[in-house]
Amino acid sequence: MKILLSILMAAMMSTSLFAADKLHKAQLQSDMRLMLNSLVDVQRAGFYNYKDGLLVSIKNLKAGLKSLKSTDAKSYLPKDHKNADRFAKKRVSMIEMYADDLSASVEDGNMDDAFDDFVLLQRQCTSCHIRLRKDF
Amino acid sequence: MERRNFLKVAGAGALIAVSPSLLQQKLYASNGKQYIAYERVQLTDAAGAPLKVSALKKEVNYVFNYPYASTPAILLDLNSATSSDVKLSTIEGEEYIWKSGVGKDRTVVAFSAICSHQLAHPTPNDSMLQFVDAKTPTAAYEKSSVIVCSSHLSSFDPANGNKRLSGPAEDPLPAIVIEIDEDDSIWAVGVLGPDRFHEYFKAFKPEFKKFYGGKRKAKKKVKDSAKTLVLNEYTKEIIQY
């Protein structure tokens, strides 16, 4: 009886851990898509010189960073790039830095600086992806 | 003073009065474009005393900011003598010659620690670009005792003018031209090679606010002396692959 109960407990725990892991990955993917869509929105708002739209899009972009910031990079990196976790974390902090500066540039009405920040922010995203995502 | 002695003194004075950058350009580059003379700056230790070559440990990264307040450079004393008269070229086809390391054994070198690929560099928070000693393996190159940028795994050879060895970087790292005085003190005098300072100042404005109080202060040229720290004292986290 005791053994049966132990087996049952172990099965329940591993199932819930598996489910939690799946949920977490789903959240991460969802946040990445949020960030991608936010980048598109920033570009669109920039073209239309729409300041409020820019600020909202940047806020959304930063919201998408939450799970990246809280996740151990090793959990989502491909097997052959597990050791690049600190590189990935650095990209996250740089994205946040440029997003903050982009907001500040937009607030100041300095659109030249804002454009530079946008390009540099994108560079952080692609920098990580070029290194770590598989070629299609 | 006798006429002959006067002429000797006047002649020596005239020689010194010629711009040192002209002389050094002839030593370092075919057309002078890849060499820029900056302020002659003495490297000091953490306490502010002149840093001496004899105090350097082999294959240890010593970081100082030069030629600007925010542009990091790394000084090394390598295990073996460097090559001499290394011909290097930039992606744009400009050629220049790196003379060699300095010191009695030609082992002391310095380079601008800003990657020629995407400008990764040591900051007070972290460093992804540094020299990897002989005992430490790297994913960037088959051998150690090279400079590695762990952002995208470019590597460079400090014993050969920071020539690019591997990875997506296309240019060598610029060398910081170093002189050693008779009293063993170390001076930085210029930059040789394709520097990316202009792009660097455009790309890291938010960092300059955080670490230097703004871009204007970050762009100030270093004068008189440059404090030199071992890398793990300069930065909180060393990231190296």
Side-chain angles (χ1 to χ4, degrees):
Chain A
M1 188 64 178
K2 268 189 191 172
I3 297 168
L4 198 61
L5 270 172
S6 308
I7 295 169
L8 199 61
M9 288 285 290
M12 279 174 65
M13 275 180 66
S14 67
T15 310
S16 64
L17 279 171
F18 179 69
D21 184 50
K22 272 207 124 174
L23 185 66
H24 188 71
K25 274 185 184 158
Q27 182 62 49
L28 195 58
Q29 284 164 352
S30 166
D31 282 352
M32 286 284 195
R33 280 193 290 273
L34 171 62
M35 287 172 66
L36 174 61
N37 291 336
S38 302
L39 276 175
V40 172
D41 290 341
V42 167
Q43 184 172 37
R44 189 178 293 121
F47 277 150
Y48 290 119
N49 202 16
Y50 176 33
K51 182 175 164 179
D52 288 343
L54 274 165
L55 292 171
V56 165
S57 306
I58 296 163
K59 203 172 162 188
N60 290 339
L61 174 72
K62 286 183 67 177
L65 275 174
K66 275 197 194 121
S67 52
L68 264 181
K69 281 168 77 171
S70 60
T71 305
D72 179 2
K74 285 182 179 164
S75 68
Y76 60 78
L77 291 173
K79 274 184 199 165
D80 52 345
H81 285 292
K82 290 280 180 207
N83 64 353
D85 57 324
R86 289 187 296 166
F87 162 78
K89 277 289 183 202
K90 170 85 179 180
R91 301 283 70 80
V92 171
S93 69
M94 296 295 280
I95 290 169
E96 194 169 35
M97 181 180 84
Y98 286 123
D100 286 340
D101 205 57
L102 175 54
S103 280
S105 300
V106 170
E107 293 276 17
D108 290 344
N110 189 341
M111 297 314 285
D112 283 331
D113 267 8
F115 181 69
D116 283 344
D117 284 323
F118 179 60
V119 169
L120 291 163
L121 196 161
Q122 277 194 305
R123 188 190 246 187
Q124 301 308 311
C125 304
T126 47
S127 175
C128 203
H129 285 210
I130 282 170
R131 184 169 165 188
L132 300 171
R133 282 178 79 97
K134 289 190 179 10
D135 235 341
F136 281 103
Chain B
M1 187 187 281
E2 284 184 13
R3 187 166 168 266
R4 211 175 282 167
N5 285 342
F6 174 77
L7 284 172
K8 272 185 192 171
V9 168
L15 189 64
I16 291 162
V18 171
S19 165
S21 67
L22 275 177
L23 291 170
Q24 284 170 326
Q25 279 170 14
K26 285 196 173 145
L27 289 174
Y28 292 114
S30 55
N31 59 10
K33 278 189 190 173
Q34 291 302 327
Y35 178 75
I36 301 177
Y38 287 95
E39 297 280 339
R40 191 168 188 262
V41 159
Q42 184 171 46
L43 303 194
T44 62
D45 60 21
L51 185 65
K52 308 279 185 176
V53 173
S54 52
L56 297 177
K57 291 184 185 154
K58 291 287 183 188
E59 294 206 319
V60 168
N61 289 279
Y62 293 92
V63 187
F64 61 103
N65 285 356
Y66 184 83
Y68 300 96
S70 61
T71 50
I74 291 181
L75 173 77
L76 294 169
D77 188 4
L78 299 172
N79 268 334
S80 50
T82 62
S83 305
S84 297
D85 296 322
V86 178
K87 201 176 191 182
L88 296 156
S89 58
T90 72
I91 188 70
E92 282 153 12
E94 294 278 345
E95 287 185 342
Y96 63 101
I97 295 167
W98 180 77
K99 297 296 287 178
S100 76
V102 294
K104 64 175 171 58
D105 298 323
R106 282 191 2 252
T107 55
V108 179
V109 298
F111 58 91
S112 175
I114 298 172
C115 187
S116 53
H117 177 229
Q118 286 192 10
L119 314 177
H121 57 279
T123 72
N125 277 347
D126 53 46
S127 174
M128 297 195 80
L129 186 143
Q130 53 266 339
F131 175 79
V132 174
D133 65 35
K135 288 177 268 180
T136 309
T138 170
Y141 194 59
E142 60 213 10
K143 295 180 198 170
S144 294
S145 293
V146 293
I147 301 160
V148 170
C149 177
S150 293
S151 255
H152 305 96
L153 302 179
S154 294
S155 64
F156 308 87
D157 187 357
N160 281 283
N162 315 309
K163 181 172 75 171
R164 176 226 168 248
L165 292 169
S166 67
E170 291 176 311
D171 273 334
L173 292 181
I176 304 294
V177 178
I178 291 288
E179 291 174 355
I180 297 175
D181 261 0
E182 283 168 1
D183 62 356
D184 212 32
S185 59
I186 309 169
W187 297 76
V189 300
V191 178
L192 173 70
D195 72 68
R196 307 280 295 278
F197 298 142
H198 180 71
E199 281 178 69
Y200 176 81
F201 288 127
K202 282 191 84 174
F204 295 102
K205 185 166 59 80
E207 256 186 25
F208 301 147
K209 279 184 203 166
K210 188 174 173 184
F211 298 128
Y212 303 102
K215 193 174 172 181
R216 192 170 288 185
K217 288 182 185 172
K219 281 181 88 169
K220 278 189 99 168
K221 286 197 185 136
V222 178
K223 288 184 182 182
D224 301 322
S225 65
K227 191 182 280 190
T228 308
L229 300 173
V230 175
L231 183 62
N232 58 14
E233 288 165 10
Y234 182 90
T235 187
K236 288 180 196 162
E237 185 184 7
I238 296 171
I239 303 170
Q240 194 261 301
Y241 295 119

